Amino acid sequence: MAKIGMRSMNSIEMRLAELSRRSSQIVLYQDFDFDATLKRVGQMPVKFDTQLLSFLRFSNGVSIFDYCFMGFKNNQLGIDIDENVEELKFATDILTDEFVAFMGTSSSDLFGYLLNMVDAHGNHPIAYNNLNEPRKVFVIASSFEGFMHTFLDDVEDMLDRYPNGEFLLEIENENWPRNVEHWLKSDTDLRELYSSGELRKFFKMKGWDFGYGEDVG
């Protein structure tokens, strides 16, 4: 997994700010105390993703269509990241202590990082799961940064397809976000994760469905 670059994260933040000016359905939450965020992160019993923490310095959560990026102590969003970690324990024990969600939808979709896979820079692979099928985990990005680049591509594509301010609920690409090949196109580190066999070994150890084909070239 690649080390985060400030230029790359800055480009993500600038792009998201521009998209928020294009659509009233994209809302940033930038009036907050980041020191309070750091305190809550420090109280969590899990290792926090480095890139996600950098993003939370920019905005304390984000609303994009029906996708809710969670923050900390943000009353305008449904739930905080740390609260979601605790609630996940009651929803399913399969992902407990394995998966930290940072984004969710009203349809029980969760996007988060794999807690027990991490590189030397504190970055984790990003996965998708629906709570109705807890053993089906789809790894869709090599890092939070990689996830954001592809996700914002897809968000921008939706705004281009519906330029007249139509109400948008979700990204309408076929089989999104389970179509792993879609994510592989722009994330070479993700392709390496799949082709190395590291993910398959990890999934077998956890008893999860692999969620992708045998071969990734």
Side-chain angles (χ1 to χ4, degrees):
M1 287 173 276
K3 182 179 180 180
I4 182 174
M6 288 305 298
R7 180 178 300 176
S8 182
M9 186 57 73
N10 285 342
S11 70
I12 289 171
E13 294 168 0
M14 291 174 60
R15 190 176 179 193
L16 186 52
E18 175 61 29
L19 291 173
S20 73
R21 290 189 285 269
R22 287 186 60 185
S23 172
S24 61
Q25 283 191 262
I26 301 176
V27 181
L28 306 179
Y29 302 96
Q30 297 182 294
D31 184 15
F32 70 104
D33 180 2
F34 185 64
D35 288 338
T37 295
L38 286 176
K39 183 177 180 180
R40 290 284 289 270
V41 169
Q43 292 171 346
M44 291 181 66
V46 299
K47 181 70 174 178
F48 207 79
D49 184 80
T50 302
Q51 295 179 354
L52 176 58
L53 182 60
S54 177
F55 180 76
L56 288 173
R57 185 185 295 273
F58 167 70
S59 184
N60 186 25
V62 183
S63 297
I64 301 179
F65 312 153
D66 188 43
Y67 304 103
C68 173
F69 275 86
M70 293 171 268
F72 290 94
K73 298 186 72 173
N74 185 342
N75 294 329
Q76 298 180 74
L77 297 173
I79 191 171
D80 294 339
I81 292 176
D82 52 351
E83 293 172 344
N84 185 263
V85 168
E86 292 302 313
E87 288 198 5
L88 194 60
K89 295 179 182 179
F90 296 97
T92 172
D93 59 356
I94 296 171
L95 300 177
T96 300
D97 299 325
E98 298 288 350
F99 180 80
V100 177
F102 56 78
M103 187 173 86
T105 73
S106 60
S107 301
S108 299
D109 297 314
L110 290 176
F111 299 78
Y113 63 88
L114 297 180
L115 183 59
N116 295 312
M117 291 191 73
V118 59
D119 68 12
H121 308 292
N123 305 320
H124 303 75
I126 305 304
Y128 160 79
N129 171 262
N130 185 286
L131 287 176
N132 296 316
E133 300 175 295
R135 290 193 181 276
K136 291 187 177 181
V137 180
F138 297 80
V139 179
I140 56 176
S142 61
S143 66
F144 179 80
E145 180 184 340
F147 168 80
M148 287 300 295
H149 279 300
T150 302
F151 179 66
L152 292 183
D153 281 346
D154 296 336
V155 169
E156 186 170 12
D157 178 64
M158 286 295 296
L159 295 181
D160 290 342
R161 288 157 62 184
Y162 297 94
N164 298 317
E166 293 92 337
F167 179 79
L168 301 175
L169 187 64
E170 61 186 6
I171 292 169
E172 296 177 357
N173 296 351
E174 184 177 0
N175 201 29
W176 197 97
R178 296 179 180 225
N179 181 6
V180 175
E181 190 62 41
H182 170 71
W183 301 88
L184 287 167
K185 291 177 183 177
S186 57
D187 192 335
T188 56
D189 289 332
L190 177 63
R191 187 171 292 277
E192 183 178 336
L193 270 177
Y194 273 101
S195 61
S196 70
E198 182 180 358
L199 279 177
R200 184 174 296 281
K201 181 179 179 181
F202 182 80
F203 272 53
K204 184 177 181 180
M205 180 175 63
K206 301 301 178 183
W208 298 347
D209 295 340
F210 190 51
Y212 195 61
E214 291 290 329
D215 300 314
V216 177

